[in-house]
């Protein structure tokens, strides 16, 4: 057994594990990751990547799945890994906090009588490179991220030939949140754009800084994506954007929190109260649109991992995803069951549910060209070879205008 520690001294959670995943793939070795700390004030979604088996890990471990098609797996304690899997070679990423205590890790490895090497990741104007690593085929390449944050060697992957004018897509999140903290949504948009041979002109709008200028900001936008996220300070801005998309027939796709804010915008219109809100964002809201899963008997406190969603026949979601489809989930709140019947009469259809039929997993508006939200995270199942059909359908709707 031998361990290769890959040290990438960067504060960005979106980069954690990327170069280690590249090295593990080149060597055809397993990757393991240890507990790591991040600046959650700066990067609220630092640990929002969910693996299929149902565990939250650092968001940059998305790259392990995208590069190799293999799950990043659970978080390991080093002693647990060494005692249980002493017959395998492992590649282990290290972030800044882990580097600060590396002497303790090295001592623990030596106590188990295991060999290890420490490889640095360097950043130069040519890209990212493994430092002082010459015996591995392919490791002297420079690795770059494209404008969607996706990795390639030596800029070898040329952008696809595109046709028509660029699509103007508003992603309702700061560039820092999307590129440095939670990279999956941006990467999935790039996958779908490449598949359709369209160019995207991206506009990043932080929902926390939106004021009364939405008409000015969104008037020339072809489509809006409302992403997920754990920061409840984003909710008010997302709801305002959902209202705009409803009244101006702008194609909009909501992912997890995005679906919740889209449904809340409709409930506010239906109830005539702008105080209607997510219980998570406003526990004192007189009208609670999304309530804890645990308040419904038989549901967990936290729904995590891959689950089947079942589509309602005749809906747009059914046409896009079929009768059943597997999505990855990460949520503690769900649509308040009290609103389901009234929403349908108001034009908002529960277009998908969990297999029990009690959790709303997808919504769409019957009077809107593309007002679709899902409670899951389709961006986590996208790849350049297989862009997610829902995100592809969103861009096709934006093309139609």
């Amino acid at each position: 057994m031998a361990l290769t520690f890959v040290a990438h001294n960067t504060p960005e959670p979106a980069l954690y594990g990327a170069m280690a995943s590249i090295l593990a793939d080149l060597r055809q070795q397993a990757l393991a990751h240890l507990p790591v700390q991040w600046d959650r004030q700066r990067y609220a979604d630092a640990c929002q990547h969910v693996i299929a088996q149902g565990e939250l890990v650092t968001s940059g471990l998305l790259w392990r799945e995208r590069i190799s098609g293999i799950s990043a797996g659970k978080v390991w304690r080093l002693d647990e890994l060494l005692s249980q899997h002493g017959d395998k070679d492992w590649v282990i990423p290290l972030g800044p906090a882990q580097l600060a205590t590396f002497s303790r890790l090295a001592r623990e490895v030596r106590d188990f009588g295991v060999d290890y090497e420490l490889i640095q990741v360097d950043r130069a104007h040519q890209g990212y490179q493994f430092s002082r690593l010459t015996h591995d085929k392919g490791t002297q390449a420079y690795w770059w991220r494209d404008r969607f944050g996706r990795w390639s060697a030596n800029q070898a992957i040329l952008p696809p030939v595109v046709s028509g004018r660029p699509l103007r897509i508003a992603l309702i999140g700061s560039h820092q949140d999307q590129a440095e903290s939670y990279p999956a949504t941006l990467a999935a948009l790039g996958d779908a754009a490449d598949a359709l041979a369209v160019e995207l002109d991206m506009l990043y709008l932080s929902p926390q800084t939106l004021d009364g200028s939405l008409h000015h900001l969104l008037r020339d936008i072809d489509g809006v994506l409302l992403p997920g996220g754990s920061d409840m300070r984003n909710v008010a801005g997302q709801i305002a954007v959902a209202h705009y998309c409803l009244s101006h027939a702008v194609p909009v796709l909501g992912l997890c929190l995005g679906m919740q804010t889209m449904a809340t915008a409709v409930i506010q219109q239906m109830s005539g109260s702008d105080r209607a809100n997510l219980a998570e964002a406003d526990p004192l809201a007189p009208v609670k649109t999304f309530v804890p899963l645990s308040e419904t008997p038989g549901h967990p406190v936290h729904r995590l991992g891959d689950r089947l969603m079942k589509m309602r026949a005749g809906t747009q979601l059914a046409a896009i995803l079929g009768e059943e489809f597997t999505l990855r989930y990460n949520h503690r709140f769900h649509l308040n069951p009290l609103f389901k019947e009234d929403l349908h009469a108001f034009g908002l259809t529960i277009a998908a549910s969990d297999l029990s039929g009690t959790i709303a997993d997808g919504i769409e508006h019957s009077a809107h060209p593309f007002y679709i939200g899902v409670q899951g995270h389709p961006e986590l199942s996208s790849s350049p070879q297989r862009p997610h059909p829902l995100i592809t359908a969103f861009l096709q709707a934006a093309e139609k205008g």
Side-chain angles (χ1 to χ4, degrees), residues 35-366:
V36 60
Q37 299 297 318
W38 301 101
D39 181 353
R40 296 297 185 90
Q41 290 295 111
R42 183 177 179 185
Y43 301 112
D45 294 326
C47 293
Q48 291 297 306
H49 179 66
V50 125
I51 62 173
Q53 298 82 2
E55 184 168 340
L56 284 173
V57 299
T58 299
S59 296
L61 290 165
L62 161 81
W63 305 115
R64 174 59 171 167
E65 295 193 30
R66 286 181 60 95
I67 289 166
S68 67
I70 301 171
S71 170
K74 70 171 190 174
V75 179
W76 287 93
R77 293 196 324 269
L78 185 57
D79 62 338
E80 180 186 24
L81 181 71
L82 293 172
S83 61
Q84 293 185 22
H85 298 281
D87 58 343
K88 293 180 68 173
D89 296 331
W90 295 90
V91 177
I92 300 175
L94 298 177
Q98 295 162 317
L99 284 171
T101 60
F102 182 70
S103 59
R104 179 184 60 80
L105 292 175
R107 185 168 57 251
E108 193 170 354
V109 172
R110 288 194 297 268
D111 288 345
F112 273 86
V114 173
D115 293 330
Y116 76 88
E117 62 177 328
L118 177 63
I119 297 171
Q120 302 282 345
V121 174
D122 291 337
R123 177 71 169 97
H125 70 277
Q126 298 99 327
Y128 296 88
Q129 187 183 36
F130 299 107
S131 175
R132 298 186 301 277
L133 186 63
T134 59
H135 60 279
D136 285 83
K137 181 181 179 181
T139 54
Q140 288 306 294
Y142 286 100
W143 290 80
W144 289 80
R145 291 185 294 168
D146 67 10
R147 62 189 293 257
F148 298 104
R150 300 170 300 174
W151 291 81
S152 62
N154 293 328
Q155 294 185 308
I157 300 176
L158 298 176
V161 177
V162 300
S163 58
R165 66 172 181 84
L167 288 180
R168 295 206 71 208
I169 300 298
L171 181 52
I172 309 304
S174 70
H175 186 267
Q176 174 180 295
D177 288 344
Q178 302 304 314
E180 299 178 12
S181 183
Y182 183 84
T185 305
L186 191 55
L189 279 168
D191 297 338
D194 288 352
L196 295 173
V198 298
E199 182 181 350
L200 300 188
D201 181 5
M202 297 296 303
L203 176 65
Y204 300 92
L205 297 176
S206 172
Q208 297 179 29
T209 60
L210 294 176
D211 47 27
S213 58
L214 278 181
H215 179 72
H216 172 71
L217 293 170
L218 298 177
R219 62 184 176 185
D220 295 323
I221 288 296
D222 297 304
V224 171
L225 195 147
L226 292 168
S230 60
D231 194 338
M232 292 297 103
R233 293 174 299 177
N234 292 337
V235 167
Q238 281 208 3
I239 293 172
V241 171
H243 277 297
Y244 180 91
C245 293
L246 270 171
S247 60
H248 291 82
V250 177
V252 56
L253 174 64
L255 313 178
C256 198
L257 181 67
M259 183 197 100
Q260 295 182 5
T261 56
M262 289 169 66
T264 298
V266 176
I267 293 172
Q268 286 183 351
Q269 292 186 4
M270 182 178 70
S271 65
S273 172
D274 60 5
R275 291 291 312 280
N277 207 342
L278 321 179
E280 187 177 10
D282 183 4
L284 301 179
V287 179
K288 293 181 175 61
T289 59
F290 281 74
V291 295
L293 277 167
S294 57
E295 291 183 0
T296 301
H299 290 322
V301 172
H302 196 172
R303 189 173 176 224
L304 284 166
D306 282 1
R307 300 286 187 275
L308 273 174
M309 62 188 293
K310 186 175 181 63
M311 261 57 68
R312 182 171 179 165
T315 60
Q316 286 178 281
L317 269 176
I320 296 167
L321 299 179
E323 182 180 342
E324 290 186 346
F325 200 89
T326 299
L327 274 186
R328 199 165 298 179
Y329 291 87
N330 171 22
H331 68 114
R332 295 180 175 89
F333 291 74
H334 71 132
L335 179 65
N336 190 334
L338 296 176
F339 290 114
K340 289 185 177 180
E341 291 301 321
D342 290 341
L343 279 174
H344 184 70
F346 202 75
L348 193 73
T349 300
I350 309 301
S353 65
D354 73 323
L355 295 185
S356 75
T358 58
I359 300 176
D361 274 345
I363 60 168
E364 60 187 56
H365 202 290
S366 59

